[in-house]
Amino acid sequence: MSQPPKSGDRDYAFATRAIHAGAIPDPVTGARATPIHQTTSFVFDSAEHAASLFNLQTFGNVYSRISNPTVAVFEERVASLENARAALACASGMAAQMTALLAILKAGDHIVAASTLYGGTVGQLGIGFSRLGIETTFVDPSDPENFARAIRPNTRAVYGETIGNPLVNVLDIAAVAEVAHAHGVPLVIDNTVASPYLCNPCDWGADIVVHSATKYLGGHGTTMGGVVVEGGKFPWDNGKFPEMVEPSRAYHGVKFYETFGDFGYTMKARLEVNRTFGAVLSPMSAWQLLQGTETLHLRMREHCRNALKVAQFLQQHPKVRWVNYPGLPDSPYYELAKKQFRTVDGQPGASGILTFGIEGGAAAGERFIDACEFLSHLANIGDAKTLVIHPASTTHRQLNDEELRKAGVSADMVRLSVGIEDVDDILWDIDQALERATRGAA
Ligand SMILES: *Cc1c(COP(=O)(O)O)cnc(C)c1O
């Protein structure tokens, strides 16, 4: 496998790793860009070579459902950007979460998760996994003690998001990691909204990080993908994870933790989940996500700058009731953002997602969306383009008032994923749409 560039002991900075980690010029052709290895399978050198690959004695490629050289560059790049040990790419963010959890959970096990997770994740854990006999307790993540209170003897994972979507609440990762570790279970963090540029959850004690690469990593709203990242510090031999320690029934009796140590979890996820369930990333998609990742640092800085300006503009706008953005000093999450997130222009970089309440409620929210000129009305985040949605009439339409309240979604809430267009144009579009949507409203 290729290695990130190393020159003696130099630790390369984020921007350098975003462009180079995991990639070397192609040794056969000299191609500088990572080639797209659009192949399902790889020729063995000899019968002996084939046998050693299947025995996991030699690292190499067999079949693209297990590993692929283009996908491997993306995996190593994200692992590097997360200051982590290893990574496994998947077909989507949902596939990454599923793979991350199925690698360590089985029927009868239990998860404690934040109640403010991305809606798709609430469905995956609360309904999808419950059908497999894996139960999830959802808790208010604002107090780490809530996670502790919900842990049971059969709990095998604690799950949260660095920044929730759509509530844009910030998790105290170090405090929740402490709770998880005190009970001998790993903390899994969805770092999609912060991206590895603003936060590295493993540095705060998380053991496994998942991303929807569909969002900021890809960054242009073109490509589905996900990735599971392993920090490499969790003691899988603590008695709670016999399948990490004992011979694998699913793969030639290999003992994942003993054989692969600090990347044993990733090997298990690759060989027992991705290989068996098949939600793998395609080489073409990996290549597209690599293009995005090369500019992640530039884009995230601009997303943060623009979002802060939009939040400040909305705060003083007469047609706006409230603004929720962790980068605003009066946000309840500002101190946590300051502690956990990279500084951008002297401010905590709080990513590009914010919500606000429009004067005139639900009807005005719908009119606002229709009145936007170039802000795109769609259900996505993390695009270079500014995106807007009114959750109560779209993503959360099925919920009744009580459920909406629990999800923290009010009828007047508009969510923006602030893009990297010229900020004055973004402010202009918001302003004119607010005027048209609230004409006649107080
Ligand atoms: C979009 C999203 C997901 C799901 O990712 P897909 O790539 O759409 O499968 C998971 N978590 C968060 C926070 C997301 O925003």
Side-chain angles (χ1 to χ4, degrees), residues 48-58 62 251-252 254 259-260:
E48 194 191 339
H49 177 229
S52 73
L53 283 170
F54 276 92
N55 281 340
L56 301 176
Q57 286 156 344
T58 310
V62 172
Y251 206 89
H252 302 296
V254 66
T259 309
F260 301 107

Side-chain angles (χ1 to χ4, degrees), residues 92-94 97 118 121 161 165 190 192-193 212 214-215 224-225 381:
S92 66
M94 297 303 285
Q97 299 169 185
Y118 170 72
T121 310
E161 290 172 345
N165 169 18
D190 180 339
T192 300
V193 174
S212 168
T214 313
K215 315 293 169 52
M224 304 292 304
I381 58 165

Side-chain angles (χ1 to χ4, degrees), residues 231-285:
K233 299 204 177 97
F234 190 81
W236 296 106
D237 55 358
N238 68 0
K240 294 207 162 187
F241 300 90
E243 292 184 353
M244 279 293 297
V245 181
E246 289 162 10
S248 167
R249 283 202 299 140
Y251 206 89
H252 302 296
V254 66
K255 299 176 182 173
F256 284 105
Y257 193 45
E258 184 185 309
T259 309
F260 301 107
D262 59 3
F263 64 103
Y265 163 84
T266 304
M267 290 299 282
K268 189 170 192 287
R270 182 184 296 283
L271 294 170
E272 286 192 355
V273 188
N274 249 13
R275 174 173 155 276
T276 305
F277 292 94
V280 296
L281 188 66
S282 78
M284 188 70 206
S285 295

